[in-house]
Amino acid sequence: MRQFSIVSLRDLLVASGPTLLAVITVAVLAYLWVDPAPPRRLTMATGQFNSAYEGFGRQYVAALGRDEIALTLAPSLGSHDNLQRLIDGKADIAFVQSGSTEVGQGAPPRDTTGLVSLGSLFTEPVWLFLREGARVTQLVDLKGKRINLGPEGTGVPRLFRQVLDANGIEPGDLRIGALENTPATMELLAGRIDGLVFSSAPEAPLIQMLLQTPGIKLFNFTQADAYTRRLPFLTHVVLPRGIVDLGRDIPAQDYHLIAPTATLVAREDLHPALVGLLVKSAGEIHGKAGWFQQQGQFPSPKYTEIPVAVEAARYYRDGPPFMQRYMRFWLANLFERLWVVAVALAALLIPLSKIVPPIYVWRVRSRVYRWYGDLRKVEQELEATAPEGRDAAREGLMQRLDEIEESVNHISIPLAYAEELYRLRSHINFVRERVRGTIDQHGKSVGWAG
């Protein structure tokens, strides 16, 4: 019994199967390879214990954690060490101080190929703390003094040597120490060294403590403007009177300081979506007004020696991507990545949509047309039989036609192609009449033409 339907799902699936498989394969490859998902874990090189870098690193952990990005903090000696870790691939992002790419006077800059800046974050004044009894009004008065600059990896020794060189002072004129910040502070408070140098944001706990410690004074860089001309990576900042404690008037005067700028640096292969997320987090953490900055001054694409990442520059210029303004990071990123898949699908579906319909039509009609081969064989056998032997052959030929008709009656075909089926049945009947001898050769030709 024939079964009719509007569409043959089996034929449609067979006709479109290879196309669907190709589309799914390309879509998956586009999703995973052309624009892979951002990693969920990052490593950030920070700084020494009790440093501003360490404190800011914890804030980044909290900010990225809200978007399910696990940030691992890697303590380091400081800026110089952080830059080397990025170059060696041991960190994904890090705090790097401006001027860190300069090795020294007359030496070529360090090769930062493969690194990009995500923007400058805050100024890091050079803090020279001295014991109250140390008679130092100019840097030349440091000669012979015991001054701690910290380990080489902090970047402070290299920075302060450049400052000394601008004053015509040789490092050998001082007794330089290489203790880390916390033990050096203890040595200063114990009176075993005359001074120590930090380069850090004022939020660092040791800076806050030393600014309020009796018997410890801060050096005033009264020639700060001249330093910024000699060393272009430095800026002139002012520590306002009373900013530490208005009630106790600490400090009791304005202090002029010289300051490099802290920059957030990343490896060039950092996922573009994470670049925008990090710049957004930097705005939340560093965008407030502070001791040396105005509201919204940082983060900024300025004050950086390393080229700014394209995605970061776009974020500073245009703000966050459209979808990230209204959706959580991962949902917005999913929709942004689906655009890649949509383009891949469109590139395939447009040409393939012209192939599937003909294949479908051919498959449906082939279930009808293949029986014409059997009909033609019956006719050929009839024509090959001599006229005197046709009576004997008719019974076998009629039985074969009955079998063909029985099989045709069980063909399942969509209603749109039912006409093909009825035409086949009429042709079966036409051949049957020929076998019976009721239609001659001329009638056969006319019948097939009809």
Side-chain angles (χ1 to χ4, degrees):
M1 181 178 179
R2 296 189 301 274
Q3 297 179 357
F4 295 103
S5 60
I6 302 297
V7 177
S8 174
L9 293 179
R10 183 184 66 182
D11 291 301
L12 184 60
L13 288 175
V14 172
S16 59
T19 298
L20 291 175
L21 182 61
V23 168
I24 293 173
T25 301
V26 171
V28 170
L29 289 176
Y31 186 82
L32 297 177
W33 179 67
V34 177
D35 191 13
R40 290 182 176 267
R41 304 190 68 87
L42 292 174
T43 300
M44 170 184 271
T46 54
Q48 299 181 50
F49 177 69
N50 277 337
S51 67
Y53 286 173
E54 182 195 46
F56 284 129
R58 289 195 294 269
Q59 294 185 51
Y60 277 93
V61 169
L64 295 180
R66 292 194 294 269
D67 289 300
E68 301 176 12
I69 302 294
L71 181 65
T72 301
L73 301 183
S76 68
L77 294 175
S79 176
H80 194 78
D81 189 15
N82 289 351
L83 185 60
Q84 191 59 49
R85 291 188 183 207
L86 286 171
I87 294 173
D88 295 340
K90 297 179 180 179
D92 301 301
I93 51 177
F95 298 111
V96 176
Q97 193 178 80
S98 62
S100 294
T101 59
E102 301 291 336
V103 176
Q105 291 288 359
R110 300 180 70 182
D111 184 10
T112 56
T113 303
L115 303 183
V116 290
S117 169
L118 305 188
S120 53
L121 307 177
F122 52 88
T123 53
E124 295 188 280
V126 176
W127 309 87
L128 173 54
F129 289 103
L130 301 163
R131 289 190 299 108
E132 193 72 46
R135 298 176 181 178
V136 178
T137 57
Q138 296 182 18
L139 288 186
V140 292
D141 298 330
L142 292 177
K143 292 182 177 180
K145 297 287 194 297
R146 295 165 296 178
I147 305 297
N148 189 82
L149 301 184
E152 288 295 332
T154 63
V156 174
R158 175 200 49 76
L159 170 63
F160 202 69
R161 286 192 187 100
Q162 290 177 282
V163 173
L164 293 177
D165 183 76
N167 285 270
I169 303 173
E170 295 293 333
D173 295 336
L174 285 67
R175 288 187 282 173
I176 294 176
L179 295 174
E180 294 188 15
N181 291 343
T182 300
T185 300
M186 301 304 295
E187 291 294 296
L188 178 65
L189 296 177
R192 287 188 284 268
I193 60 175
D194 299 302
L196 57 82
V197 180
F198 291 156
S199 179
S200 172
E203 288 84 356
L206 293 178
I207 301 292
Q208 295 281 332
M209 183 194 72
L210 290 172
L211 286 172
Q212 303 179 65
T213 300
I216 301 298
K217 67 177 184 178
L218 178 64
F219 180 79
N220 190 9
F221 286 86
T222 54
Q223 300 169 305
D225 280 334
Y227 283 107
T228 62
R229 302 298 193 276
R230 296 288 296 274
L231 302 171
F233 59 87
L234 296 176
T235 57
H236 174 196
V237 297
V238 177
L239 183 69
R241 176 177 178 174
I243 188 67
V244 178
D245 191 320
L246 286 170
R248 293 187 293 163
D249 194 25
I250 299 175
Q253 66 177 68
D254 289 347
Y255 278 87
H256 297 271
L257 303 175
I258 54 176
T261 304
T263 304
L264 188 61
V265 178
R267 291 183 57 80
E268 193 175 31
D269 56 6
L270 183 68
H271 195 284
L274 293 179
V275 171
L277 184 61
L278 284 165
V279 175
K280 175 186 174 184
S281 301
E284 297 172 358
I285 297 170
H286 307 288
K288 307 179 184 67
W291 285 11
F292 304 109
Q293 66 196 53
Q294 299 176 347
Q295 178 84 18
Q297 181 179 350
F298 292 104
S300 169
K302 303 177 182 178
Y303 320 117
T304 173
E305 306 150 326
I306 298 173
V308 177
V310 174
E311 295 80 8
R314 185 182 301 118
Y315 192 103
Y316 287 116
R317 184 183 66 247
D318 303 327
F322 176 77
M323 292 185 181
Q324 290 189 26
R325 299 176 189 179
Y326 307 101
M327 302 178 185
R328 294 295 300 271
F329 171 73
W330 286 106
L331 183 59
N333 179 256
L334 175 62
F335 279 104
E336 289 167 0
R337 294 172 63 212
L338 286 177
W339 281 108
V340 179
V341 178
V343 171
L345 290 177
L348 278 176
L349 286 176
I350 293 175
L352 291 179
S353 63
K354 299 180 180 180
I355 299 175
V356 173
I359 296 177
Y360 172 76
V361 171
W362 175 82
R363 281 194 54 82
V364 172
R365 288 181 170 175
S366 67
R367 296 211 296 274
V368 174
Y369 291 162
R370 73 184 186 87
W371 294 105
Y372 281 101
D374 291 341
L375 288 180
R376 186 58 183 157
K377 288 179 181 178
V378 171
E379 282 195 309
Q380 289 175 343
E381 191 171 334
L382 179 64
E383 293 169 356
T385 304
E388 59 274 13
R390 288 183 180 180
D391 289 339
R394 280 193 180 99
E395 183 177 351
L397 295 175
M398 292 294 289
Q399 183 178 353
R400 286 176 59 184
L401 287 172
D402 290 341
E403 292 172 355
I404 291 173
E405 186 172 30
E406 178 67 18
S407 298
V408 168
N409 286 338
H410 289 84
I411 293 176
S412 175
I413 195 168
L415 288 174
Y417 301 91
E419 181 182 357
E420 308 285 347
L421 183 61
Y422 283 102
R423 184 179 292 115
L424 173 60
R425 293 183 64 191
S426 68
H427 290 161
I428 293 173
N429 188 59
F430 171 81
V431 175
R432 181 181 285 113
E433 295 300 320
R434 254 199 92 190
V435 172
R436 286 174 180 168
T438 58
I439 299 178
D440 58 14
Q441 179 65 29
H442 179 72
K444 177 182 82 72
S445 301
V446 173
W448 276 107

